[in-house]
Amino acid sequence: MSEIDSESNESPAVLRPEVPRTELSQGFWDAIEKGELAFQRCAACQRLRHYPQPLCPECHSGESDWQTVEGLGRIYSYTVAHRAFHPAWTDHVPYVIATIELDCGVRMVCDLLDVDPDTIEIDQRVQARFQELPGQGVMPRFEVID
Amino acid sequence: MSPLPSLSGQAAIIGVGQTPFTRGTDCSTLELHLQAALEAIKDAGLTPADIDGVMPNELAGTIAEDFILNLGLPALAFSSTIRTGGASFVSAIQSAALAVAGGVAKNVLLVAGRRGYSAQRVSLTSEGAIAPHPVMRHMDEFERPFGNTVASQWFAQAARRHMHEFGTTSEDFGRIAVAIRGHANLNPRALMFEKTMTLEQHQASAFIADPLRLFDCSLETDGATAIVISSVERARDAKKVGVPILGVGEGHGSPPTSITQKRDFTRIEGLEVAGERAYAMAGLGPDDMDAAQIYDGFSWIVLASLEALGFCPRGEGGAFVRDGRISLGGALPVNTSGGLLSEGHCSGANLVSEAVRQLRREVEAERQIADCERIIVTGEGDFHEGAALILGRSA
């Protein structure tokens, strides 16, 4: 469990698109609220999966639980967005959108707003942190650690 | 049990219709579709009463009922809509060919195209520019709230990874954009007919989602394209040269709901599978193709599609496009109309119409591929879904 950062430089006036949480993904978001990353794990074959879905695509078991993992990983790929297509990012361009590959193998997407885009490279190590964002509750964030 | 008959050579495209590609229109999307449809039906030598199958396009939001109402279709026997975004139009050709070959319908009308400039303009906003699709539910929950809001950003990450693994460069993307622009400069229908582009201009164009620049992105245009698919027997009765469907296939990557979740997102795996299926059906391979009309929503998609279709090995798309090979006069002319990058974004349907016109010898002399007999056409949509079509020319 990590500390949750309640300070944010994001404007409460222009909110990010709302997360349409579902019953299926509740375990993921509940963990985020506690400052943890947890992914769906097949109860039969132990395979981790993300994004949440009813059946394991390997063994087709419908039973799953939530496995907490370390928030360490690397940048698998990224883009530097020079244009915002949603007002929540207008004041942040250019900003980095990264695909993070966690050490457990699961991938997540996250915007990195507090970095110089010119310093970002594929394979850089990153660590998860947790931040309360306006209108969103706690959201997973990532920071470069090398 | 005897083997099923092959679909190859059973159906043909017998009519093509198209509105101009514009920035701005007084017409509704449906009105554009109806204009293109009437032209295609006339081009096929038919009347609307002959149309007994309709396949509206997902991205336009039109429905079969619109065509029944406005064209007065008396006896519609088949209607279906494919939901693979930009791959939908070519995938729909597979379904239409099946319907015709199976005797369910005689003449199937396919129509696509959006008001990409006047109504559904993605460069201005990610909100409501395109109607929400069920396939977006994972994006909406796990990527959009993290700033990954539009297609240029999704494909930029695939392009970036391709550069990382294979040494592909922005200049390689530029050579694709410049070659295709050169073709548009020979095509009076193309929105970019009068605007030339050099590699230097490409490299000076602003980043939208690095590594994708403005000139790596397809156009925002208003317009529609329609085709009519019938049996090859009917095609023989038509006044124009028949364009038989020699091979067609669709493919679906996995997982199909996000690019970033694919194990290797530098591969357009849906198109790899689609291409293999189309080649196998036609009994042909990449060396047999005289040209390729490749879905070019972004320049990188062309490069990765050349790899997916076996025109060059994986990772060598950059080298493949470096020496003029994909320009008219080269070994494999690509997107001879100007494609989505420089003619107009008609949800990929204008790539099909261009292939038909080339095979019928109907394009301007300086743009005509001499003696072309076989052209491959692709669609790419959503998250690396693919469709491939091999068209021929009746003797």
Side-chain angles (χ1 to χ4, degrees):
Chain A
M1 195 179 295
S2 303
E3 194 177 317
I4 291 163
D5 182 0
S6 57
E7 294 289 308
S8 161
N9 60 0
E10 295 189 24
S11 164
V14 192
L15 300 180
R16 291 167 181 248
E18 192 180 344
V19 176
R21 300 174 190 205
T22 66
E23 208 171 304
L24 202 55
S25 62
Q26 199 57 47
F28 173 81
W29 294 109
D30 286 348
I32 296 292
E33 288 285 339
K34 294 189 287 182
E36 291 178 349
L37 286 182
F39 299 112
Q40 232 185 345
R41 181 179 59 180
C42 175
C45 75
Q46 313 299 310
R47 184 183 191 270
L48 286 179
R49 60 182 193 254
H50 197 51
Y51 307 132
Q53 57 185 53
L55 290 194
C56 172
E58 294 292 320
C59 75
H60 311 120
S61 166
E63 300 296 318
S64 65
D65 54 16
W66 294 93
Q67 171 70 40
T68 305
V69 304
E70 292 287 313
L72 288 169
R74 65 187 175 114
I75 294 177
Y76 183 79
S77 192
Y78 68 97
T79 177
V80 183
H82 286 255
R83 190 180 290 195
F85 295 89
H86 185 284
W89 286 273
T90 303
D91 292 338
H92 294 287
V93 290
Y95 71 96
V96 175
I97 308 164
T99 298
I100 309 294
E101 187 163 278
L102 294 163
D103 294 346
C104 66
V106 165
R107 293 206 195 122
M108 298 174 68
V109 170
C110 195
D111 50 331
L112 312 179
L113 300 184
D114 304 326
V115 296
D116 175 359
D118 291 339
T119 65
I120 295 299
E121 290 175 18
I122 285 175
D123 288 338
Q124 271 176 326
R125 296 290 293 168
V126 296
Q127 179 163 29
R129 59 188 178 84
F130 302 86
Q131 189 171 30
E132 185 146 1
L133 297 182
Q136 292 286 10
V138 183
M139 292 279 272
R141 315 296 297 146
F142 283 89
E143 63 189 4
V144 176
I145 54 173
D146 71 6
Chain B
M1 194 173 140
S2 59
L4 288 169
S6 168
L7 191 57
S8 181
Q10 294 207 40
I13 299 176
I14 67 163
V16 171
Q18 197 160 52
T19 70
F21 296 118
T22 59
R23 284 177 171 163
T25 177
D26 295 331
C27 295
S28 67
T29 301
L30 177 59
E31 286 168 337
L32 293 171
H33 279 222
L34 295 169
Q35 281 176 27
L38 286 170
E39 189 182 314
I41 293 165
K42 187 178 175 194
D43 185 59
L46 302 175
T47 67
D50 297 313
I51 298 298
D52 57 358
V54 172
M55 296 194 69
N57 187 265
E58 173 196 30
L59 298 168
T62 50
I63 55 177
E65 288 76 359
D66 290 323
F67 296 94
I68 298 172
L69 274 176
N70 289 283
L71 300 179
L73 306 180
L76 201 67
F78 171 71
S79 81
S80 171
T81 290
I82 305 288
R83 302 195 181 278
T84 50
S88 299
F89 194 77
V90 173
S91 264
I93 292 174
Q94 173 176 271
S95 293
L98 281 166
V100 165
V104 172
K106 291 187 177 66
N107 302 299
V108 183
L109 173 70
L110 287 74
V111 196
R114 298 182 296 125
R115 283 182 300 159
Y117 185 87
S118 296
Q120 298 171 299
R121 194 164 178 190
V122 290
S123 74
L124 299 183
T125 178
S126 61
E127 292 182 292
I130 295 179
H133 299 165
V135 74
M136 293 296 165
R137 71 169 81 96
H138 279 157
M139 296 297 294
D140 287 346
E141 183 169 4
F142 295 104
E143 301 200 16
R144 218 168 151 253
F146 299 93
N148 205 25
T149 56
V150 291
S152 59
Q153 297 164 345
W154 314 336
F155 285 93
Q157 291 208 49
R160 165 77 63 199
R161 184 75 199 181
H162 198 283
M163 294 166 80
H164 175 77
E165 291 189 19
F166 303 113
T168 312
T169 66
S170 171
E171 286 85 353
D172 296 330
F173 305 149
R175 286 183 187 95
I176 291 167
V178 168
I180 292 173
R181 178 61 62 87
H183 299 158
N185 296 148
L186 302 172
N187 176 13
R189 284 176 184 275
L191 194 77
M192 292 295 157
F193 176 51
E194 291 178 333
K195 288 193 180 171
T196 58
M197 187 201 296
T198 65
L199 187 57
E200 291 68 30
Q201 286 170 322
H202 173 275
Q203 288 295 293
S205 70
F207 280 121
I208 302 298
D210 185 354
L212 298 181
R213 301 173 183 277
L214 178 65
F215 290 170
D216 292 309
C217 300
S218 46
L219 299 173
E220 294 182 300
T221 52
D222 302 325
T225 300
I227 62 172
V228 177
I229 292 180
S230 302
S231 66
V232 281
E233 288 77 23
R234 185 172 291 264
R236 283 190 203 108
D237 297 338
K239 278 180 252 167
K240 300 202 170 182
V241 173
V243 177
I245 294 163
L246 303 180
V248 65
E250 69 180 45
H252 301 261
S254 181
T257 51
S258 162
I259 288 176
T260 63
Q261 297 302 313
K262 292 175 189 297
R263 277 303 98 192
D264 180 355
F265 60 53
T266 65
R267 287 172 51 202
I268 305 181
E269 51 179 341
L271 187 57
E272 285 178 19
V273 175
E276 284 166 13
R277 289 177 176 150
Y279 288 139
M281 185 187 290
L284 299 169
D287 291 345
D288 299 311
M289 299 300 123
D290 297 314
Q293 312 293 347
I294 297 179
Y295 191 90
D296 54 345
F298 302 100
S299 57
W300 174 81
I301 296 178
V302 176
L303 190 146
S305 297
L306 290 166
E307 297 176 3
L309 296 171
F311 288 110
C312 61
R314 278 257 303 142
E316 295 182 19
F320 187 86
V321 302
R322 266 173 216 160
D323 59 359
R325 193 183 270 117
I326 63 169
S327 289
L328 278 164
L332 184 76
V334 168
N335 296 7
T336 48
S337 69
L340 282 55
L341 285 168
S342 285
E343 184 188 35
H345 195 320
C346 198
S347 305
N350 49 323
L351 303 171
V352 176
S353 57
E354 170 67 6
V356 171
R357 290 184 180 125
Q358 284 281 354
L359 289 161
R360 286 175 170 180
R361 314 288 188 256
E362 284 179 353
V363 303
E364 296 73 25
E366 57 272 31
R367 212 154 60 75
Q368 181 68 52
I369 306 162
D371 305 324
C372 65
E373 297 290 330
R374 295 168 190 133
I375 297 179
I376 190 164
V377 188
T378 74
E380 196 282 347
D382 292 340
F383 309 105
H384 290 1
E385 311 259 33
L389 168 72
I390 298 169
L391 295 175
R393 178 184 156 86
S394 296

